[in-house]
Amino acid sequence: MRKLTIDGREIEVAEGTTVIAAARALGIDIPHFCWHPELSVAANCRMCLVEVEKQPKLQPSCQLEAADGMVVHTDTPKVREARRAMMEYLLLNHPVDCPICDQAGECKLQDYYMLYDLKASRLWSEEGKVRKRKRAIFGPHVIYDAERCVMCTRCVRFCAEVVRDPVLIEVHRGDHSEIAVAPGRTLDHAYSLMTAHVCPVGALTSRDFRFQCRVWFLASTPTICPGCATGCNAFLDHHRGEAFRLRPRENPALNRSWLCDDGVLAFRLHNDHRLTAPELGRGDDARPVAWDEALAEAATLLRKVPKTQRAAVLSAEHSCEENWALAAFAREALGVERFFVTGRTAGTADDLLRHADKNPNRAGVRSMLGAEPEPLERLVDEATAGSIRGAVALGAAAATQGPAAAAGLLRLEALVSIAPRRGPLPEAAHVRLPSPSFAETAGTYVNARGQAQEFPQAMSPRGEALEVPDLLARLARRLDLGLPFRSAADVRAAVAPRLPRPAAEGGAP
Amino acid sequence: MPYVVRRPDRNLWEQSYVPETVRGLGVTLRHFFRNVFGRRDTVTLLYPEQRRPYPPRFRGLHRLTQRDDGAPRCTACLCCQTACPAECIHIVAGEYPPEHPLAHVEKYPVEFWIDELRCVSCGLCVEACPCDAIRMDTGLHPRPVEARPHLIYERNLLLSISDTAGNVHTANPRKK
């Protein structure tokens, strides 16, 4: 252990800790561009210079290892003057095109300019500035503006060290230096949006988010990424009922500071193909109706099917609360004994974050049901054979696809679908009941490691969508059947003891 | 806090009402005869034949200014929308395609709506604009209309409005 003093406060840190990390532990934010807690030290931005007693020159705190008896001052006039001078250098050739820059509002150059510089550039003429590449397409998700770049090389180090795909390189020298994609390559690995996210300025920006919304309009709600079974901690950025992006939320035990491209873009599950009103009928006969009519039709259809031929389809895409409510409704009100599970089809995995199971809550479905649910293929088989004739299904995605599966689902005499968006299951249903998206309900996911993680509600449900427990309570009333729960609090209380174990520590909201 | 309301002390002359009424009428008549037969010092204008000149900083209807090539000066930075306390501005930003002559500007307003019914004419949008793209120097009031949607002005209409001198362009302040 090493004991040092930063701004008059003592702290004891492990050997090898840098001064900037020690200061961060004390809650002192030393300005920096190139330093990132998860990346190697570059010490090239020179923004984190601090004064250390008995050392004649200012020291870069990101590279300076904490030593016993070290006395550090992070906010002396000498340090502030160094920061101001650094800002003047960094902004020397900056285009100052904040009005068209997507980073504006969350840009470190803007923040530190307001904190430490606040002076007009002495190189005021546009013609005197070094002009570089603008709007360079780096990959399917990322666009690069060399004039805004401060050459901190965070992106280069992120690609090389975290993704282990060194696709970005530095080219040229001095004020002509810029970031480039390695010859013959594009920035197309699975973490390219994270490459843009680590950029402290507006040099690398997302092509998906480009010009969609100014960041200061966005409200952020902590959430769990619904993209796969890893369950990365994230922030959902949204504005007026529309989601715009997912951002990683630091959790050293799980996703550290990262999120994959599919995760950042998983907000689309909230925006696209939404079901906003109850509907009756299949294909061209589909028509939106009022809730009363839809529930009456669902009740009539379900009544016609004998108990032994009813089934329930749980969804690995949905939270434990929604799945438990459906399982309880099906078991105790409908008398269902056959439970199936649906979800998005499996995809690619890697050893960093991505899990092959593209559903956030398969483990949760298992613990809510208390048994292993059967796969959806078996429901299709039994529907084709005629041994199951009616079902209540949660979720939009069908784990099995293709004409045979669709034909099997169409054989069902009563299929009531509860889904936030359109998809194969709702399309095959006789009654479609809109439910909230992952962002519109609070809940719990259990990830592939068996960690239960709660997330709050970010927005109110779109259109006429109803929370699943509420919706099932109304359906049970239509069927004149009793339910084992009355409110969302009942559902939460029932779910809590069934959860495997509390969430991993370290998820700072 | 309770307090006693003091009634005015009136003498008999005032209390008898009629003489004081006649005296007040006299003041009115004095002004009437002076303005009709004598020196006129009324502040009334015979609108609309006579109009009072507006002060030069009068904040009238908005206009969007044009570049020299006729394209909107606005880069859809949404600063005006952010500053607007009445939330009457709505902008949808777009990107110039790479082959467009203004491709270097990158961003432009595909849609630009101002709800003149909600606008409180505070002028904060003009102050917020970093590109001198929105101005309120038209000297105009919103026209009377028969339906509310007609007062929700869209991009091309706003671009076509000129200032009092007939200008539709502004210069790029950064190139001066």
Side-chain angles (χ1 to χ4, degrees), chain A residues 140-461:
Chain A
H141 297 306
V142 177
I143 193 163
Y144 177 63
D145 189 310
E147 290 185 349
R148 296 178 191 152
C149 184
V150 294
M151 291 308 288
C152 69
T153 68
R154 268 188 185 189
C155 51
V156 176
R157 283 174 287 143
F158 174 78
C159 287
E161 295 165 15
V162 179
V163 191
R164 300 192 178 281
D165 179 13
V167 54
L168 294 183
I169 50 173
E170 299 158 69
V171 292
H172 306 310
R173 286 188 295 175
D175 53 11
H176 287 77
S177 61
E178 57 181 72
I179 304 295
V181 184
R185 285 290 313 272
T186 53
L187 181 57
D188 55 0
H189 58 65
Y191 296 86
S192 63
L193 280 170
M194 235 357 68
T195 315
H197 181 81
V198 294
C199 181
V201 298
L204 289 170
T205 47
S206 159
R207 290 175 73 187
D208 176 77
F209 184 64
R210 191 166 167 83
F211 303 162
Q212 295 301 304
C213 187
R214 300 316 305 250
V215 293
W216 53 80
F217 289 127
L218 296 173
S220 290
T221 311
T223 191
I224 305 297
C225 172
C228 80
T230 306
C232 296
N233 292 198
F235 285 109
L236 177 74
D237 288 352
H238 53 95
H239 176 54
R240 290 189 178 156
E242 195 88 358
F244 285 91
R245 59 181 182 182
L246 252 63
R247 267 183 312 126
R249 181 159 53 99
E250 220 174 293
N251 184 342
L254 192 60
N255 55 310
R256 297 193 285 159
S257 304
W258 318 126
L259 216 55
C260 68
D261 285 356
D262 296 337
V264 173
L265 299 175
F267 71 88
R268 289 175 179 163
L269 290 172
H270 168 80
N271 289 351
D272 297 347
H273 314 297
R274 285 300 296 276
L275 202 57
T276 51
E279 283 183 15
L280 292 183
R282 288 167 161 165
D284 294 337
D285 299 334
R287 62 196 166 91
V289 293
W291 267 107
D292 277 345
E293 197 182 339
L295 289 171
E297 176 70 12
T300 319
L301 284 170
L302 287 173
R303 268 207 201 93
K304 281 186 196 157
V305 181
K307 272 187 183 177
T308 50
Q309 293 184 330
R310 291 173 187 165
V313 181
L314 304 177
S315 168
E317 275 188 278
H318 283 67
S319 69
C320 289
E321 284 76 2
E322 289 167 311
N323 277 299
W324 181 84
L326 178 64
F329 166 81
R331 196 177 277 153
E332 311 205 8
L334 288 181
V336 168
E337 283 165 7
R338 303 290 301 277
F339 287 92
F340 301 89
V341 65
T342 188
R344 291 190 291 274
T345 45
T348 44
D350 59 32
D351 55 1
L352 185 51
L353 290 179
R354 293 187 300 160
H355 196 279
D357 181 6
K358 295 299 170 196
N359 299 289
N361 199 28
R362 194 174 293 276
V365 171
R366 213 174 293 136
S367 30
M368 287 309 111
L369 192 62
E372 187 70 39
E374 300 174 61
L376 195 68
E377 293 95 50
R378 208 167 297 157
L379 174 74
V380 172
D381 293 344
E382 302 221 8
T384 316
S387 54
I388 287 179
R389 286 161 57 203
V392 182
L394 185 62
T400 53
Q401 278 160 358
L409 289 173
L410 287 174
R411 287 281 308 256
L412 289 170
E413 286 161 39
L415 179 56
V416 177
S417 165
I418 302 165
R421 55 177 207 281
R422 297 182 188 284
L425 263 183
E427 290 321 305
H430 300 88
V431 183
R432 281 177 290 283
L433 307 175
S435 70
S437 74
F438 75 97
E440 294 166 348
T441 182
T444 315
Y445 288 149
V446 181
N447 67 8
R449 289 197 217 167
Q451 296 162 319
Q453 303 188 97
E454 277 184 49
F455 57 93
Q457 178 182 8
M459 291 170 258
S460 46

Side-chain angles (χ1 to χ4, degrees), chain A residues 33-48:
Chain A
F33 290 99
C34 69
W35 181 75
H36 190 287
E38 298 282 350
L39 299 175
S40 66
V41 172
N44 60 18
C45 76
R46 297 282 136 175
M47 196 61 194
C48 68

